[in-house]
Amino acid sequence: MVAHILKLKLLLLANGFKRSVGQLIGVIIGAVYALGMIVMLTIAAWFMASETAIDAELSIIVGSLVVLGWAVIPPLLTGVDLTLEPSRFVHFGIPQKVLGPALVLSGFISVPAILSIIGLIGGSLIWRHEPLAMPVAVLAAIATAVMAVLVCQYLTIMATALRAKRRFRELTFAVLFLLLICLGPIISSIASAANSLLDLIGPISNVLAYTPLGAPAALPGALAYGNYLQFSICLVLTVVYLGGLYWLVTRATAQATVTPPPEQRAAKQSGLGFFKYAPATPAGAVGARALTYWFKDPRYAIGVLMVPVLPLIFWFTGSQSGNYTMMYLLGPMIGILLGFSISADISYDNTAFALHVLTGVSGRADRAGRAMACFALSIIPVLAAAILPGAIAGQAWRIPGDLGFSLAALLIALGVASVASARYTYAVPLPGDNPMKTPPGNGLRVAATQLATIGVMALLLLPVMIPYLMGWFQESRGLGFLTLGIGLALGIGLLIGGIALGGKWYEKRAPELMQAVMLNK
């Protein structure tokens, strides 16, 4: 039975590559990239052998990072392949003492697991000059990979119920997105503190050596440097940790086969929500529906999360260089980002777009409602980003110009996005999917469409940008007010024109739009 389940996992893995040509190409590109990184790290380990005084500490740190990555990223953020999820075997009556080991072994049949084993074995070459430590390093690398997969399996089973809850998925996505956005400042801070960081490697590795994260990786270093007491302790801890994790995984698997899946509860809604405050018009109804999506659909979260993240990034950059000029561009950048976010509004609707088509909502009402919802959500952040930097810096002369440029950026972006979303659709993550998921096969088209949309926004902003820059260099309040007047006039005009033109295209292409969003293309 164990062999049969392993063959089933191999067959499912092979069939997954045949599902889509685009998906297969993406997997191949990712695997080649990962193999390239592994080869580079292996070469680095080969040449670093006996060339560094902290090889034992590096082995522990690298092994701990691998285990920690497996413990955090798949179970809580990106998800894992649950094709052989324990609850799927409820109806087959397979004994738990057979099913548990089979599912544990099947966890090693995956591309990430295989690459992790290869990479860890390649990293063990750092001990190639130590005849006794080298075979132990290979075994320790395999033990580290086993530890990582077991931790991942256990946390995945325990987190399955949590991942079924929408708020948990949204929270983990927000954490991942914020980490990605802040990765640059984090790396810069680490690089600037490199000297003090080297002083911390020793104490950190000494602690990690006795934890499940780094116990296996500590074995070759302890043996190579003759620290036999630490070697014995880490060896015992490794056996205990692996045995305990195996017991926990098999026990959790056995419980999952007799535990019903978590009950999905529909969200409770009292009252009319945003519909209570929206005008009783078609545009008002569309706007209230769009606002509901802004607050409840995590796919819109990227634009919203950028509002608090951008000031932090610009402030950090300014604190490093001593130049805070980018803080004055917060308003226009937030305006363009939030306005641009509705360029995929129809694509995000998916099957719900049928509501607009079947009820006969006019194109102008649809465009105006979506733009009105985004404007209501964006106006406060844009005003704050336009006014606060100049006020805090004591440069009141620049506030009218910053305000005009920021409002023009928001209004023009809304107008252009109202046209673009009615003319072009593309594949997006489906409702309920991971918001960072990229549908295969349309990356070039999406990039070209989005680049063209942002390019048009930049061109239309030029009449406002010219007096704005002149007022900036001359520190002129008068040119700032001129920028405000031109920005409001041009922004309002282009927004009205974009709603009108987008509405005409919407009405002409409503059947094609509905077909495109139904097929997600």
Side-chain angles (χ1 to χ4, degrees), residues 408-431:
L410 174 62
L411 295 172
I412 290 174
L414 290 174
V416 174
S418 297
V419 177
S421 63
R423 181 63 183 85
Y424 302 103
T425 60
Y426 41 83
V428 296
L430 295 175

Side-chain angles (χ1 to χ4, degrees), residues 143-518:
T144 301
V146 173
M147 187 86 72
V149 175
L150 287 177
V151 168
C152 177
Q153 287 183 320
Y154 178 69
L155 293 179
T156 298
I157 295 173
M158 301 305 293
T160 299
L162 291 174
R163 286 184 60 83
K165 299 180 180 180
R166 177 180 173 182
R167 294 302 179 192
F168 179 79
R169 296 198 304 267
E170 294 176 359
L171 178 61
T172 53
F173 160 69
V175 171
L176 177 61
F177 181 76
L178 290 175
L179 285 176
L180 291 175
I181 291 297
C182 298
L183 192 59
I186 291 173
I187 293 176
S188 177
S189 299
I190 292 175
S192 62
N195 294 331
S196 59
L197 190 63
L198 289 176
D199 298 333
L200 295 176
I201 285 181
I204 292 174
S205 62
N206 288 334
V207 174
L208 292 175
Y210 300 101
T211 67
L213 298 177
L219 293 174
L223 184 61
Y225 290 104
N227 193 343
Y228 299 112
L229 177 61
Q230 183 186 21
F231 177 81
S232 301
I233 295 174
C234 291
L235 180 60
V236 172
L237 288 176
T238 299
V239 174
V240 171
Y241 290 146
L242 287 175
L245 275 172
Y246 178 78
W247 178 79
L248 286 174
V249 172
T250 53
R251 183 172 178 268
T253 300
Q255 290 180 346
T257 57
V258 296
T259 303
E263 181 180 357
Q264 296 283 353
R265 296 183 179 179
K268 295 182 180 179
Q269 177 66 43
S270 59
L272 298 176
F274 292 108
F275 290 91
K276 180 179 179 180
Y277 306 101
T281 61
V286 173
R289 175 180 173 273
L291 274 175
T292 304
Y293 274 60
W294 272 97
F295 280 89
K296 292 190 175 183
D297 193 333
R299 295 174 298 173
Y300 287 82
I302 294 178
V304 176
L305 287 174
M306 287 301 295
V307 172
V309 169
L310 273 179
L312 293 176
I313 294 177
F314 289 168
W315 175 84
F316 178 84
T317 304
S319 65
Q320 296 293 310
S321 63
N323 187 351
Y324 292 90
T325 301
M326 292 297 295
M327 294 293 293
Y328 300 119
L329 299 178
L330 273 176
M333 294 192 69
I334 291 176
I336 288 179
L337 284 174
L338 291 177
F340 172 77
S341 60
I342 67 170
S343 62
D345 241 13
I346 292 181
S347 300
Y348 281 152
D349 273 355
N350 199 252
T351 55
F353 184 65
L355 292 171
H356 295 242
V357 177
L358 298 179
T359 54
V361 176
S362 68
R364 183 167 297 188
D366 179 273
R367 305 288 83 197
R370 296 177 191 268
M372 178 177 65
C374 186
F375 180 83
L377 194 70
S378 308
I379 186 61
I380 302 267
V382 170
L383 289 176
I387 296 173
L388 290 179
I392 293 174
Q395 299 179 359
W397 59 267
R398 66 176 307 119
I399 292 179
D402 291 343
L403 194 60
F405 195 26
S406 302
L407 290 175
L410 174 62
L411 295 172
I412 290 174
L414 290 174
V416 174
S418 297
V419 177
S421 63
R423 181 63 183 85
Y424 302 103
T425 60
Y426 41 83
V428 296
L430 295 175
D433 280 351
N434 187 332
M436 299 190 73
K437 176 181 178 182
T438 302
N442 71 326
L444 181 60
R445 180 188 174 195
V446 171
T449 303
Q450 293 181 346
L451 185 61
T453 303
I454 295 178
V456 171
M457 294 177 184
L459 286 175
L460 294 176
L461 267 173
L462 282 177
V464 185
M465 189 182 302
I466 293 174
Y468 173 73
L469 292 176
M470 292 174 60
W472 187 339
F473 291 129
Q474 298 181 21
E475 298 185 3
S476 170
R477 184 190 297 265
L479 288 173
F481 279 108
L482 178 63
T483 302
L484 178 60
I486 295 175
L488 286 175
L490 184 63
I492 293 173
L494 289 177
L495 175 60
I496 295 174
I499 290 173
L501 179 58
K504 290 182 179 179
W505 277 359
Y506 172 96
E507 293 174 355
K508 289 181 180 179
R509 302 187 67 249
E512 290 83 356
L513 288 173
M514 185 170 176
Q515 182 182 22
V517 297
M518 291 288 190

Side-chain angles (χ1 to χ4, degrees), residues 27-41 111-112 115-116 118-119:
V27 171
I28 292 174
I29 293 175
V32 170
Y33 178 79
L35 284 174
M37 294 295 295
I38 289 173
V39 169
M40 292 176 61
L41 292 175
V111 175
L115 292 175
S116 296
I118 296 173

